[in-house]
Amino acid sequence: MDDWKAAFGEEWDAVVLGTGMKECLLSGLLSVAGKKVLHLDRNDYYGGASASLDINQLFEKFQAGAPPSEAELGKLRDWAVDMVPKFIMAGGQLVKVLIHTKTANYMEFKAVDGSYCYRAPKARSSGEFGRVHKVPLTPKEALSSSMLSMLEKGRMGKFTMWVASIDCGKPEGFFEDGSFRDMPYWTRVGMTGRKKMPLTQWNGDQFFKDWGLEAGTIEFLTHVCALYRDESWRSAPALEVVSRMQLYLESRTRFAGMTSPYLYPLFGLGELPQAFARLAAVHGGTYMLNRDLDGSPVFGPNDLSLEYAEDGTVAGVVNHDGEEAVVARTKTVVGDPSYFAGKTKPTGSVVRAIALLDAPLAEMEKDGASSCQVIFPAAQCGRCNDLYLFLCSNAHKVAPAGKYVAFLSTKVEGPTQGMSNEQIAHRELAAGLALFTRPGAPMPLHLFYDAYPTYAPLTNGTKDRVFISESFDATSHFETAINDVLDMYQRITGETLNLDALAAAASAEQ
Amino acid sequence: MAAAAPPASGRVFQFKLVLLGDSAVGKSSLVLRFVRGQFFEYQESTIGAAFLTQTVALNDTTVKFEIWDTAGQERYHSLAPMYYRGAAAAIVVYDITNRDTFQRGKQWVKELQRQGNPNIVIALAGNKSDLASKRKVEPEEAESYASDNGIFFMETSAKTATNVNELFVAIARKLPKNTPQPRPGGSGIVIAGQNGQAAAEAKKGCC
């Protein structure tokens, strides 16, 4: 403890609070840039809100009553249950960061087997259950899909090929035709020859109208492929819609043998913050979890506070534990919203259900998939926001052999006053939960419900130099999270992150 | 030095090896002695490398160790479980002149047996054997603890190089040579090989 206090009380370039994925990545990037970083957590484990819990931590968090039993759940040490259910887009920013920082070397990844889309039953009140379809994106998948009509199969094939072929950065014909100098356009070959498509002028609605695709097709292209959580694609620039679809299509072929656009780390997402923390430590970052030699906490849950200089900028992080306070002096504090009550605003709530299963979904079994994502487009569930289902297994080393862990999540839409998490989950996640109650469905061994508010900082931190990350949103991947980190890095250092320079530093270190 | 293996005939096996133990017991020094044949009296506590590699030639096979250093994260009891996850071998180091570090070493052995790879090969190393006059832990005690717990024990000195190569060679011999490779990849996707994909990716750069 004295040793701890002495180290804590030094002067630091930055003090980072919370070891969530975003904070660990920022620590790593700041340490690589030569900053002296102190990184603290009030928990005795890494990951904060983005940790993967072991089975005991999980049962404790949800007050499951009886302790987990090996007879029921298999080898208990093999469970690792994510607290933020997300997959990694193989062609996305996070993979770039993992490669450039070489943190990918610390981890192993495996592709997610299947990507599926939910369709509601024709008559919702008839007691029928919705169906889960494989996402038909390659021409071959499109041909065999029951989701698409015969005519639509041909149109879809043509459409996805066009999307994959165009270069969003280089509008075709931009320089050759003077009259279009101010209005870039892309072309496609239609019935009447080459057709100009002004993607920067059009919105998503106009774009899809032009292609004449069916409503159901457009729904899965925008929600499953372009990963819009709601109907905002309608007013979004068509170029954005196209580039989001491209990310999905490119991700599917990013590494050999992929059958979905997603990667997932062995042992769960909690490996990500740990890998970035190691990056920071390798570059001199100092780590202090709230754990003394004997495992007891070093300081109390509310013992950390901020100290400010006269000009209103932050001057240090104070640890009030014990008789005398000790101050980690710093001019920059970074952290997740849970450390900065009063400096954040609520942005909504996320509700989720976590199911521990001993069988996969029937649809997955048919395809031989051991992991999958199912997207439930909002309109199929009578909602405004999509529902996401993730399912992983022993193949990703997050469950014992023969066991599965499923996460259902969405943004809360209705009032929650006076409701239990279970009640909220049953209202908001009904379509997803039905997959586990329909006839022949795998009955969950355990089902946990959770609802939690999300927060964003009140200010961007450039005035008081307290930089707060946003809570993880309800998106199914990390793209928005990485953008938040890159933006914070820019605000903290005043420099735009140069991933190439990082790569050079990483090779020099090897 | 003996450990710098000539390109041996036969098969090459790669294993992740981690070092565990209290601060200042000589973990990094053991690695640097083994990999580079160097020793510094005042070794910086963090060596700034994610991991080092070194090969050991056995009769018919070559064992390539990917050796992970704690990067100082053990200092405030903040070593991430990821560190020893997937490790095929671990060297738990203590300082023979400091009894507390031996007790702490035992805790690490327990932690590895609880959380680590079930087939992990664990070596207990009583380091700083050159300081025998200040000894606080008798080799007999460590030996009997090791045999009770199914691990093996050696006293080493990174300073004089005593038993350093021997320790790694003994681990190399004990590692199973018939199971599929725990790292890298296996059936998984390797998104950044040290030289391959990562280098190609880095060249391509990012906008």
Side-chain angles (χ1 to χ4, degrees):
Chain A
M1 178 71 199
D2 288 342
D3 181 29
W4 191 97
K5 272 194 170 167
F8 182 90
E10 285 180 28
E11 181 143 3
W12 306 89
D13 291 330
V15 176
V16 183
L17 303 177
T19 55
M21 196 273 264
K22 290 183 185 182
E23 286 69 34
C24 287
L25 176 53
L26 279 167
S27 270
L29 296 173
L30 292 169
S31 298
V32 167
K35 306 272 188 259
K36 185 182 171 194
V37 177
L38 171 65
H39 201 159
L40 293 169
D41 199 300
R42 68 162 80 81
N43 297 314
D44 64 356
Y45 56 86
Y46 280 92
S50 50
S52 301
L53 300 187
D54 66 33
I55 197 79
N56 291 315
Q57 289 170 317
L58 181 76
F59 272 53
E60 198 174 307
K61 179 178 167 73
F62 293 104
Q63 298 169 349
S69 97
E70 202 133 272
E72 180 192 37
L73 292 167
K75 243 179 163 199
L76 296 180
R77 58 177 264 168
D78 290 349
W79 290 96
V81 180
D82 291 343
M83 289 298 100
V84 169
K86 283 180 191 288
F87 284 151
I88 300 168
M89 293 294 281
Q93 295 265 60
L94 176 56
V95 169
K96 276 186 200 153
V97 169
L98 285 165
I99 291 170
H100 286 284
T101 58
K102 301 205 169 184
T103 35
N105 283 325
Y106 304 155
M107 305 169 67
E108 273 185 80
F109 297 86
K110 225 169 127 72
V112 172
D113 291 333
S115 177
Y116 297 85
C117 179
Y118 172 86
R119 281 272 169 94
K122 291 230 163 56
R124 209 167 282 152
S125 53
S126 66
E128 272 182 69
F129 289 91
R131 290 185 59 189
V132 172
H133 299 267
K134 209 167 165 64
V135 173
L137 277 172
T138 64
K140 200 175 145 214
E141 287 165 351
L143 275 178
S144 62
S145 175
S146 54
M147 264 180 101
L148 303 169
S149 68
M150 275 318 288
L151 274 175
E152 194 71 345
K153 288 181 206 281
R155 278 194 290 259
M156 254 296 288
K158 225 167 150 188
F159 176 79
T160 49
M161 269 170 64
W162 179 83
V163 168
S165 70
I166 69 156
D167 184 341
C168 284
K170 285 189 202 136
E172 202 181 321
F174 184 72
F175 293 109
E176 80 191 28
D177 185 345
S179 65
F180 278 95
R181 200 158 273 275
D182 297 327
M183 191 175 95
Y185 65 91
W186 287 255
T187 61
R188 73 174 166 106
V189 180
M191 296 285 276
T192 54
R194 285 170 81 79
K195 190 170 182 317
K196 292 186 175 89
M197 307 197 72
L199 299 184
T200 50
Q201 309 283 310
W202 280 353
N203 61 29
D205 234 354
Q206 289 167 303
F207 171 74
F208 281 111
K209 208 164 275 164
D210 187 77
W211 279 93
L213 294 164
E214 289 169 9
T217 311
I218 294 171
E219 181 178 71
F220 94 72
L221 284 171
T222 49
H223 287 256
V224 181
C225 182
L227 293 165
Y228 284 95
R229 276 177 292 166
D230 49 30
E231 294 299 286
S232 60
W233 60 270
R234 290 185 186 278
S235 52
L239 192 62
E240 178 193 292
V241 180
V242 171
S243 57
R244 286 174 76 151
M245 286 189 288
Q246 283 189 337
L247 172 62
Y248 188 99
L249 293 169
E250 281 165 20
S251 291
R252 278 185 52 130
T253 53
R254 180 67 180 77
F255 301 101
M258 294 192 68
T259 50
S260 85
Y262 299 109
L263 294 176
Y264 185 80
L266 297 192
F267 304 107
L269 292 175
E271 298 296 280
L272 285 170
Q274 295 182 50
F276 291 133
R278 181 166 167 80
L279 172 72
V282 163
H283 287 87
T286 298
Y287 275 82
M288 294 183 178
L289 298 181
N290 195 1
R291 180 166 63 192
D292 219 334
L293 185 61
D294 60 359
S296 64
V298 176
F299 55 91
N302 302 311
D303 282 349
L304 295 178
S305 68
L306 300 183
E307 194 173 83
Y308 293 88
E310 264 172 37
D311 64 359
T313 60
V314 76
V317 175
V318 189
N319 176 16
H320 299 279
D321 186 59
E323 307 86 70
E324 53 182 313
V326 51
V327 185
R329 278 162 294 131
T330 184
K331 291 190 167 70
T332 301
V333 173
V334 181
D336 79 56
S338 71
Y339 288 83
F340 304 97
K343 295 179 85 74
T344 59
K345 57 178 184 233
T347 52
S349 293
V350 174
V351 59
R352 65 179 167 178
I354 300 172
L356 310 184
L357 305 159
D358 56 9
L361 295 174
E363 291 84 355
M364 295 169 62
E365 217 157 17
K366 201 181 78 196
D367 297 333
S370 60
S371 54
C372 76
Q373 179 195 53
V374 186
I375 292 182
F376 299 67
Q380 300 292 326
C381 321
R383 295 173 46 80
C384 302
N385 290 274
D386 293 1
L387 228 78
Y388 295 106
L389 170 70
F390 296 87
L391 209 146
C392 291
S393 67
N394 188 246
H396 283 100
K397 300 212 192 302
V398 294
K403 300 287 188 286
Y404 299 80
V405 54
F407 306 89
L408 266 166
S409 63
T410 191
K411 202 169 169 186
V412 173
E413 292 176 0
T416 55
Q417 195 89 42
M419 289 172 73
S420 71
N421 289 345
E422 181 167 353
Q423 288 168 322
I424 300 169
H426 277 278
R427 183 187 65 205
E428 306 275 342
L429 301 169
L433 288 169
L435 291 188
F436 301 104
T437 53
R438 60 187 174 167
M443 175 74 175
L445 302 169
H446 282 270
L447 199 46
F448 302 109
Y449 304 100
D450 197 12
Y452 53 95
T454 54
Y455 296 94
L458 286 172
T459 68
N460 73 6
T462 44
K463 272 216 179 88
D464 58 4
R465 298 214 43 91
V466 177
F467 302 93
I468 305 169
S469 64
E470 293 178 15
S471 304
F472 286 99
D473 59 28
T475 55
S476 59
H477 51 69
F478 286 102
E479 297 307 293
T480 49
I482 295 294
N483 287 337
D484 189 24
V485 169
L486 295 179
D487 193 58
M488 285 177 75
Y489 184 85
Q490 206 266 330
R491 278 179 271 141
I492 294 166
T493 63
E495 285 161 29
T496 309
L497 189 66
N498 183 339
L499 290 176
D500 293 329
L502 258 181
S507 358
E509 166 241 302
Q510 285 286 329
Chain B
M1 55 189 273
S9 59
R11 293 180 302 165
V12 180
F13 293 89
Q14 187 169 332
F15 295 102
K16 173 178 172 181
L17 181 150
V18 297
L19 282 104
L20 291 162
D22 249 350
S23 309
V25 294
K27 297 184 294 298
S28 298
S29 297
L30 279 173
V31 175
L32 287 181
R33 170 60 79 185
F34 173 59
V35 174
R36 297 192 183 142
Q38 296 171 329
F39 179 79
F40 301 99
E41 197 72 50
Y42 299 101
Q43 174 66 47
E44 288 273 334
S45 47
T46 305
I47 61 169
F51 40 79
L52 299 168
T53 57
Q54 179 62 291
T55 53
V56 169
L58 300 176
N59 291 339
D60 52 345
T61 53
T62 300
V63 167
K64 184 176 181 191
F65 284 118
E66 184 181 274
I67 306 166
W68 291 40
D69 194 88
T70 59
Q73 280 181 297
E74 82 285 14
R75 224 170 306 151
Y76 306 102
H77 327 299
S78 301
L79 202 57
M82 186 204 72
Y83 174 71
Y84 47 88
R85 185 128 49 220
I91 303 177
V92 176
V93 187
Y94 69 91
D95 171 354
I96 66 158
T97 69
N98 181 337
R99 225 185 142 73
D100 286 348
T101 65
F102 179 57
Q103 296 306 335
R104 186 74 187 131
K106 289 184 188 174
Q107 287 177 25
W108 277 120
V109 171
K110 212 191 273 173
E111 176 79 2
L112 284 169
Q113 290 177 333
R114 197 169 63 89
Q115 298 280 5
N117 164 7
N119 305 316
I120 192 165
V121 172
I122 303 175
L124 181 65
N127 194 35
K128 309 195 185 177
S129 65
D130 51 291
L131 300 176
S133 60
K134 296 182 191 163
R135 171 189 293 285
K136 295 277 161 31
V137 184
E138 292 304 321
E140 293 75 21
E141 184 186 358
E143 180 65 61
S144 98
Y145 167 79
S147 64
D148 287 350
N149 286 275
I151 64 177
F152 78 100
F153 166 70
M154 260 187 205
E155 281 201 350
T156 56
S157 168
K159 187 173 180 177
T160 64
T162 310
N163 271 348
V164 176
N165 288 342
E166 289 78 354
L167 177 70
F168 284 89
V169 171
I171 294 169
R173 286 193 204 287
K174 281 187 192 284
L175 284 164
K177 313 294 188 308
N178 45 9
T179 49
Q181 293 282 285
R183 242 189 93 87
S187 60
I189 285 173
V190 179
I191 69 174
Q194 256 177 288
N195 311 309
Q197 200 138 21
E201 192 63 35
K203 235 176 279 161
K204 215 193 300 161
C206 165
C207 46

